[in-house]
Amino acid sequence: ESDHAPATNAEGGNRKKRATRAANNQGISGDIGVRDPNIPTSVCITATHHDRETTPRHRASRKRSTPTSGRRKESKDNIRVMFTGVAPTKKHKQMINDIGAMLIDSIEDAASATHVIATDGKTKLRRTPKLMICFCKTSNILGIEWLEQSAKEQKVLDPNDFLLLSDREAEKTYNFKLSDSLKNGAIARSGGGVLGGWYVYICSGVAGNKAPSAKEMKLIAEAAGATMLYSLAEKNVIDPAKSIIITSDPATKSQVKERGVDRVTSMGGHICTTSWLFQTMITQSLADVSDDKNMGHRSKRKAETKSPPSTGKRKSARRR
């Protein structure tokens, strides 16, 4: 073994010298990616590295990492688009993505919407729970044109140029003026919301009876700035005079007889119907909570109880 070792080392050195001379004289094979057996592996160029640098996919990934994409990500957090009354199409969803905005759909997220698309130009505005919540949070109530034009220019356009200021059919149906509601909403938000400082209790049987679900009713009231009351127990009612008890329209006997209703109303609390609540949301104006028109069965019963019989009836009774 010791006799063959030197010979082996000499042979290896000669082989390495021949490979180096071959690399210097012949260079790299013209066939990229095909290894010349006479060239050491360390100087062989493979097609894999070359292709990775020049493929369209690689170029696209490099393009996505530009500063512009960072700005778009930031924009996506700030621009939150909600559709209500109309459903977004696949094309609309792509438009939202193209301008770097985010589409939100859940009613739990409605209060965070910054831009609200309430009509596609073909259908009238609808007084949905989402819309009532959004009215409390933003004046950016828009038509689909805002999104289409923004996508066309590849940027988020100023919503003030696309505000939905009129919808005659909806205004007639819901008895309000859209432009006034947007102005009222801005004023109300500066003071904590149209129901800011008020406490709201929703009677049993209201939700789902020509009204949104219990969860939606709660979200509507809270978006308006109200504090929810889940019981009319004395320890829960901090300020009876600033408490509103919501009933169905008209109120049911069981609702006005609920535990705590008489006590709270006797201390200045107010009974109002769902119609009053929805009108307050759509107009963003707090109607007089003491107005009998806003109240249900109990107010009518009180009125009947307090109305004295006429003089004529008394006389006729005595004659009989």
Side-chain angles (χ1 to χ4, degrees):
E1 289 182 0
S2 60
D3 292 339
H4 292 287
T8 302
N9 291 337
E11 183 180 349
N14 293 333
R15 194 182 306 121
K16 185 175 181 180
K17 290 178 181 179
R18 287 197 300 271
T20 304
R21 283 198 299 272
N24 293 333
N25 296 333
Q26 296 178 14
I28 299 169
S29 173
D31 238 348
I32 298 297
V34 180
R35 181 176 179 276
D36 189 324
N38 295 318
I39 301 175
T41 305
S42 60
V43 297
C44 180
I45 297 178
T46 64
T48 305
H49 178 71
H50 174 76
D51 290 347
R52 189 184 300 122
E53 292 294 326
T54 57
T55 56
R57 178 178 295 181
H58 181 74
R59 290 196 299 271
S61 66
R62 283 186 297 178
K63 185 176 181 181
R64 284 194 295 269
S65 63
T66 60
T68 305
S69 65
R71 289 195 298 270
R72 179 157 293 188
K73 183 178 185 298
E74 183 181 351
S75 173
K76 204 161 191 174
D77 294 334
N78 296 332
I79 308 300
R80 298 166 64 85
V81 181
M82 171 162 275
F83 278 68
T84 178
V86 291
T89 64
K90 186 176 180 180
K91 184 178 179 181
H92 294 146
K93 293 177 181 178
Q94 184 59 51
M95 289 178 178
I96 291 171
N97 187 63
D98 289 345
I99 63 174
M102 176 186 292
L103 175 65
I104 57 175
D105 182 62
S106 170
I107 191 167
E108 289 87 353
D109 293 329
S112 68
T114 60
H115 297 67
V116 185
I117 297 178
T119 177
D120 57 5
K122 301 174 184 177
T123 57
K124 73 172 184 178
L125 176 144
R126 293 172 52 207
R127 192 182 64 185
T128 65
K130 286 181 181 179
L131 183 66
M132 288 189 279
I133 292 172
C134 291
F135 259 55
C136 296
K137 294 298 183 179
T138 180
S139 295
N140 294 335
I141 310 300
L142 311 163
I144 197 66
E145 185 184 4
W146 167 79
L147 178 59
E148 293 174 342
Q149 290 299 316
S150 293
K152 186 177 180 180
E153 298 191 29
Q154 288 290 291
K155 65 179 181 179
V156 178
L157 297 178
D158 186 350
N160 290 315
D161 296 330
F162 300 89
L163 292 179
L164 196 60
L165 298 175
S166 177
D167 187 322
R168 290 184 180 180
E169 190 176 353
E171 289 173 331
K172 183 178 180 181
T173 301
Y174 302 121
N175 188 30
F176 79 113
K177 189 173 181 181
L178 192 48
S179 59
D180 287 347
S181 295
L182 300 184
K183 293 176 184 176
N184 293 341
I187 295 171
R189 283 189 291 278
S190 66
V194 68
L195 290 180
W198 288 86
Y199 298 87
V200 171
Y201 174 79
I202 301 174
C203 289
S204 301
V206 171
N209 181 17
K210 298 181 181 179
S213 68
K215 179 178 73 173
E216 291 170 336
M217 292 284 288
K218 173 181 177 291
L219 290 171
I220 290 169
E222 289 180 337
T227 300
M228 294 299 299
L229 294 176
Y230 297 101
S231 166
L232 292 178
E234 188 173 353
K235 64 179 181 179
N236 294 330
V237 182
I238 299 173
D239 188 351
K242 294 287 285 184
S243 299
I244 300 172
I245 299 168
I246 301 295
T247 69
S248 300
D249 189 8
T252 65
K253 291 182 179 180
S254 62
Q255 288 170 351
V256 296
K257 289 181 179 179
E258 275 192 34
R259 186 176 181 178
V261 170
D262 275 336
R263 186 185 64 81
V264 173
T265 53
S266 69
M267 298 173 68
H270 312 275
I271 296 180
C272 297
T273 65
T274 48
S275 297
W276 172 88
L277 177 63
F278 302 154
Q279 191 65 14
T280 297
M281 296 301 104
I282 200 71
T283 61
Q284 285 296 290
S285 176
L286 187 63
D288 185 2
V289 292
S290 301
D291 192 338
D292 280 349
K293 290 185 294 183
N294 301 324
M295 303 175 72
H297 173 82
R298 186 174 184 278
S299 64
K300 294 178 182 177
R301 185 183 65 183
K302 273 191 169 183
E304 290 171 359
T305 303
K306 291 183 178 180
S307 297
S310 65
T311 308
K313 287 183 180 179
R314 287 177 180 171
K315 287 182 179 178
S316 60
R318 282 198 297 269
R319 281 198 296 269
R320 285 197 301 271

